[in-house]
Amino acid sequence: MLGRGAVAAAVVVFTAGLLGLLGCSFEGGGAAEPPTAASTGGVTTSAASPLPNSTTGSASPSAPGSPSPVPVTGPDQKLVSMTVTGGFAGVHQLVILRGDGTVYASEKGQPAVRHTSAAQFTELRTLLGDPALADVPDFTMDMGAADMLQYTLQFNGRTVMTDRSGDEPALDRLIDALSPWLSKK
């Protein structure tokens, strides 16, 4: 049986390879609408509304001082990617936020490109700028649990893997804010 370190390393290598393949082939030129009630499981968005499914309605800081939005260096910059795998049904979803405000989402190879509103883009970047994310461990999984979803996030030069079994409010807010952008069938 593989140990935790070997499993974590295998998942990171697999995820990095998958993201590299997807990142190299995606040019971000598609025009698509932001998530709708049908694509977000009943959550609707508009250009003036905050991010869908936000737990507090704002990016409240978890540490002293207010987080500021992470800077954007170019339209093709990958600000954050999140891969969701596992569960009883064998979920495999991916969402990538790019520097031009586009969101690439894929479920089992079916891609979709959507655009954030200015407010949504700022809120996502602010969540990424939360100083509390620096304190989140790279690996928090309950290895004894079965059929839990596993989240692999890449942001700020880090890879973080979690099944959300730990208490990490800053990470949970980021996952909650990205989840409505995942492809829904």
Side-chain angles (χ1 to χ4, degrees), residues 58-72 77 79 97 119-134 155-156 173-174:
S58 67
S60 59
S62 298
S66 295
S68 57
V70 295
V72 176
Q77 176 186 5
L79 296 172
L97 173 66
Q120 291 168 332
F121 189 52
T122 299
E123 186 169 351
L124 283 166
R125 291 177 37 236
T126 301
L127 289 169
L128 286 166
D130 189 336
L133 283 176
F155 59 92
N156 297 334
R173 282 191 295 275
L174 180 58

Side-chain angles (χ1 to χ4, degrees), residues 42-124:
V43 177
T44 58
T45 63
S46 68
S49 70
L51 273 175
N53 209 15
S54 179
T55 56
T56 63
S58 67
S60 59
S62 298
S66 295
S68 57
V70 295
V72 176
T73 59
D76 290 333
Q77 176 186 5
K78 290 182 190 176
L79 296 172
V80 61
S81 66
M82 179 173 76
T83 304
V84 183
T85 58
F88 181 73
V91 170
H92 191 272
Q93 299 175 311
L94 170 69
V95 63
I96 299 171
L97 173 66
R98 293 196 177 266
D100 62 357
T102 57
V103 177
Y104 170 85
S106 173
E107 180 172 4
K108 296 184 180 176
Q110 300 298 317
V113 178
R114 299 182 182 100
H115 297 275
T116 62
S117 69
Q120 291 168 332
F121 189 52
T122 299
E123 186 169 351
L124 283 166

Side-chain angles (χ1 to χ4, degrees), residues 18 25 39 53-54 60 69 81 84 97 104 134 136-137 154 165 177 181 184:
L18 176 65
S25 63
S39 68
N53 209 15
S54 179
S60 59
S81 66
V84 183
L97 173 66
Y104 170 85
V136 171
Q154 292 184 321
S165 60
W181 296 95
K184 306 282 189 222

